[in-house]
Amino acid sequence: MTNTNVPVTVTQQGGIAQVQLNRPDKKNALDIATFEALIQAQIDLSNNPNIRAVVLHGAGDAFCAGLDISVLTESDAIANLTERTHGMCNLFQQAAMGWHQLPVPVIAAVHGHCLGGGLQIALGADVRIAAPDAQFSVMEIHWGLVPDMGLTALAPGLIARDHLCELVLTGDKINGLTAAEMGLITRVAGDPLKESLALAGKIAQKSPHAVVAAKRLLSPGTHSMAQKLQSESDAMQALMAGENQREAVNARLQKRAPKFKDRTVE
């Protein structure tokens, strides 16, 4: 039986590791303990020479519904988002970017909600296989914020700028079929986890040295990524608790239309 007190579980069979977000009662929403557990899983897997591929998925009826609102009340966690605590990332960015940095391929098996930070974690994977009815959304605009967990570093190589702008600026939800058409995910499957494990098994049969080298060669340059990650954090830090951001939160919680102040013309 799965231990629901552990926010992330890691199991290994042969050369394949399964990393499962494990807060099914919260649709695997991301609290601080989950962020820390994801990063620890990345470290452990990176240091395990027997791992050939990783499958990332969620327990229950969702991949990940995004940020747990409790994080916003933990002032120490969000006090200085611009500080680089994990190489070129802050804590939140590392939970997504760590999969991109892992030397072995990572496959995200997506079902149910894949929203906000959950979507950005999925983007950190090398391949995304999703159910046709999975729900994707860049949610941050609803709260008067911007995506700040690596989306600007990871998504541009997958999806056209106009599609990405529409998703980021509206926060609209799309299903797996539309996400596949846009390039946000690799493909759809009736059973994403089964399909992901099958792909991981195929990769695990290849030369591990060749697989690691191929992933490194296919990855975007880290210098440009570092700049984008810093820019994400700078923008988020400037927006947090601003007047319009507070209004966005209050209006959403009160289920009313927001009354924003006009931007300052420079």
Side-chain angles (χ1 to χ4, degrees), residues 149-192:
M149 284 174 54
L151 179 137
T152 64
L154 295 166
L158 304 171
I159 181 172
R161 181 182 179 277
D162 55 342
H163 289 314
L164 186 57
C165 283
E166 184 175 12
L167 293 175
V168 171
L169 297 175
T170 66
D172 286 349
K173 288 182 181 179
I174 58 173
N175 63 25
L177 293 171
T178 302
E181 291 173 359
M182 288 183 174
L184 196 65
I185 66 167
T186 311
R187 63 177 181 270
V188 296
D191 188 335

Side-chain angles (χ1 to χ4, degrees), residues 182-219:
M182 288 183 174
L184 196 65
I185 66 167
T186 311
R187 63 177 181 270
V188 296
D191 188 335
L193 181 56
K194 181 179 179 181
E195 188 85 1
S196 296
L197 289 170
L199 177 58
K202 184 182 296 186
I203 293 170
Q205 295 173 21
K206 311 301 182 187
S207 163
H209 291 86
V211 168
V212 168
K215 174 167 177 171
R216 184 175 63 248
L217 289 169
L218 293 169
S219 296

Side-chain angles (χ1 to χ4, degrees), residues 58-80:
D61 61 2
F63 178 78
C64 176
L67 191 69
D68 189 317
I69 202 71
S70 67
V71 173
L72 299 178
T73 66
E74 299 185 41
S75 58
D76 290 345
I78 60 173
N80 187 3

